[in-house]
Amino acid sequence: MRVLSFIKTIKSLGVSNSFFVFFYRFQKFIGIFTLLLPIKKTPIPKFSSITSKNKSRTLKENELSIKEKSLLKADQLIEGKCIWFSSKTYAITSPPKWFFNPLTNQNFTDKKTHWSKINLYKLGDIKGIWEMSRWNWVIIYTKAWKLTRKQLYLDIMNEWIKDWCENNPVNSGPNWLCGQEVSIRLLHIIESWTIFDNFECSKNTIESRSKFILEHLKRINATLYYAKAQKNNHWISEASALYIGGIILKKYSKKYSKLGKVFYSKGKANLEESIDKLIMDDGSFSQYSLNYHRLVLDTLSLIEILRRNSNIEKLSSNFYNRAKKATDWLKYFIDKKSGEGPNLGNNDGAYCYQLTNMKYEDYRPTLQLACNIFENKDYLKNGPWNESKFWWDIKNNQYEKTFLKSKLFTNGGYGILRPSDQAWCLLRLPKYTFRPAQSDPLHLDLWINGRNILRDSGTYSYNSTGNEFSNLSSIKSHNSAQFDKKEPMDRISRFLWGDWLKEEKISKLKVIKNITKISSSYKSKVGSHERIIKVCENGREWVIEDYLEDFKENVILRWRLYPTEWELKTGQIKSKLATISFTSIHRFDRFELLTGEESRLYWKKQIIPVLEIESIKCPTKITTLINIE
């Protein structure tokens, strides 16, 4: 059965994509990359304060907080305080130890090995090493220098860049291993150069930058086919880096102008193809992840800003149409009061190209910038989420209050019920066109007055020493039903599920008088589940009906709750936020309030209450009634 599941999964992934993944691994195995991409010294690009724009930025009264918070971040780095994945602060040296992983408290020893010969999982979560080598710190120092013109920020930034380049020769060590990581580093430095001097610098500075760009583009280009086969944000990130890096070379470098045109053309073609294939007709992104959706939108916004700045011809109309759809999608998945959203899908802590000083969980900066770039309007009123507009000198656009209604995203597989601005829910439809990130069919996320009452588990880490990744991506870590203590899909490998689920019945959304109703269902080899959700127009009362059948031993319905005090009574739980009552056509065999784990920030966990309702009678129906206090 497992072999059959694997064959079916290969077919779903695409035979050609599976071939290119195999081809990439075969090339690594025979050592071809050591010949195609030899180890060499990394060119050292410098920031020089001798520019045509030598005055610090004049701030208006309502912009003074930008300076205060930006300098605080830069000064904390100088003091040796650095935040990994927006969650934990670790002590660092200056320059940092590029191969020390604070998550595991270990040093990576293969720093002189060719990237193709490195074991990615040798020392736990390698993302702990990659984080500093994404170079998001150049943005922090650039902003501080731009606001003050203090030489201190410039000197430290150049010192870190020089040290990194000397300790990370081209194609050696973990920081050249992943094409997307190389792309993120390159896009960060190009973003910084644009803000710093907009390439109004000496010929020598241009050429040193061009050499640095060229080595990154060569590395990205060599394995772009592998990124394409992944059908995820790797393809978009790497195509974007080729596109923008190519633009810089062809426009500013005499020596590498022809190569720049080649990379620009290839990057443009892949960028447009990736957006066309990975952003669906309803705006959903292929990875079924809110965090990765943000990463894609932030990447596209940056790319469009840099394109305009370079006076390069527009991308295709389809590109802008897809970007606008992805922007519209995000509006529905963000809580207007808190700016947060469901912990949907995999969340690796990626927070790139950010020019704001707001917290990681707040998606409003991304949404506001994307609306300005792709819709030419403000989605939100003036606020701290406008800081990116300050740095890119984007004038205020027209603000129109948007009223969102309930909606089905039939391509991506989501149902959104929005009876009011204060109350809304997400239902994860059992539909996976692309590789599913988590086993989350019919998961329900409920938001009331900015609080995530019923919540998703998150990710924690992709390669931790325990079972956090596999446990948190399991059906048991979602607000859904688990049959016979098994998964509705087979886990084939760390990042791959088999037997992708499909809707048994077409999901429906109806509005009858004052009641909005959504229904969806699936049938797997371990059980069948139909979920119907009803809500009144004020969003104060929610009814969830779960029809559960085709299981052999038992079914467990779980509700992962907001971390507050919940009082357990017979068939009911109650807190200061809500009263939740349960009924069934059969007596419950177990009704228990337990604890579970969730990870809302990468590499950070907390304990939350989890209600489990178990039944051994098949079929059964369980009704959940939620009354908001």
Side-chain angles (χ1 to χ4, degrees), residues 66-92:
I66 293 176
K67 181 175 182 179
E68 180 184 351
K69 293 178 181 178
S70 296
L71 297 186
L72 177 62
K73 274 191 174 183
D75 292 342
Q76 284 177 335
L77 277 181
I78 293 173
E79 293 169 2
K81 300 174 184 177
C82 186
I83 301 176
W84 258 253
F85 309 116
S86 307
S87 61
K88 287 189 177 182
T89 301
Y90 295 95
I92 61 170

Side-chain angles (χ1 to χ4, degrees), residues 271-386:
L271 179 58
E272 294 193 337
E273 184 183 1
S274 64
I275 295 305
D276 181 60
K277 291 188 175 181
L278 303 186
I279 294 180
M280 298 172 236
D281 289 338
D282 62 9
S284 302
F285 178 55
S286 66
Q287 284 187 274
Y288 308 119
S289 162
L290 190 63
N291 177 242
Y292 285 151
H293 194 103
R294 172 170 63 183
L295 176 60
V296 167
L297 262 188
D298 285 336
T299 303
L300 299 185
S301 294
L302 175 63
I303 293 310
E304 176 60 11
I305 289 169
L306 297 178
R307 181 203 66 78
R308 294 178 186 179
N309 190 69
S310 298
N311 294 316
I312 298 296
E313 64 179 350
K314 283 188 173 183
L315 290 154
S316 68
S317 59
N318 182 63
F319 172 88
Y320 296 107
N321 183 45
R322 295 281 171 173
K324 185 179 182 302
K325 286 183 177 181
T327 303
D328 284 334
W329 183 97
L330 189 60
K331 295 173 185 176
Y332 284 86
F333 289 73
I334 301 305
D335 182 75
K336 284 191 172 182
K337 185 172 183 178
S338 66
E340 299 180 14
N343 208 357
L344 174 68
N346 286 345
N347 182 350
D348 70 350
Y351 199 41
C352 303
Y353 323 124
Q354 291 296 324
L355 296 174
T356 68
N357 294 293
M358 298 184 68
K359 65 178 184 177
Y360 169 86
E361 303 97 304
D362 199 322
Y363 284 73
R364 285 173 291 190
T366 293
L367 192 51
Q368 183 78 325
L369 180 61
C371 284
N372 273 268
I373 297 302
F374 298 116
E375 297 182 351
N376 295 315
K377 65 181 181 182
D378 282 335
Y379 179 68
L380 304 161
K381 293 181 179 179
N382 286 333
W385 41 79
N386 271 351

Side-chain angles (χ1 to χ4, degrees), residues 605-621:
K605 292 183 294 184
Q606 69 175 9
I607 300 298
I608 62 168
V610 179
L611 180 72
E612 291 192 357
I613 304 172
E614 183 176 357
S615 177
I616 61 173
K617 299 287 194 305
C618 181
T620 190
K621 173 190 173 185

Side-chain angles (χ1 to χ4, degrees), residues 465-476:
T465 54
N467 296 317
E468 290 92 348
F469 177 68
S470 59
N471 286 338
L472 294 179
S473 62
S474 165
I475 186 69
K476 64 186 177 183

Side-chain angles (χ1 to χ4, degrees), residues 148-159:
T148 65
R149 289 304 196 268
K150 286 186 179 179
Q151 191 67 26
L152 170 66
Y153 299 120
L154 195 58
D155 290 343
I156 291 179
M157 180 163 57
N158 279 326
E159 181 186 3

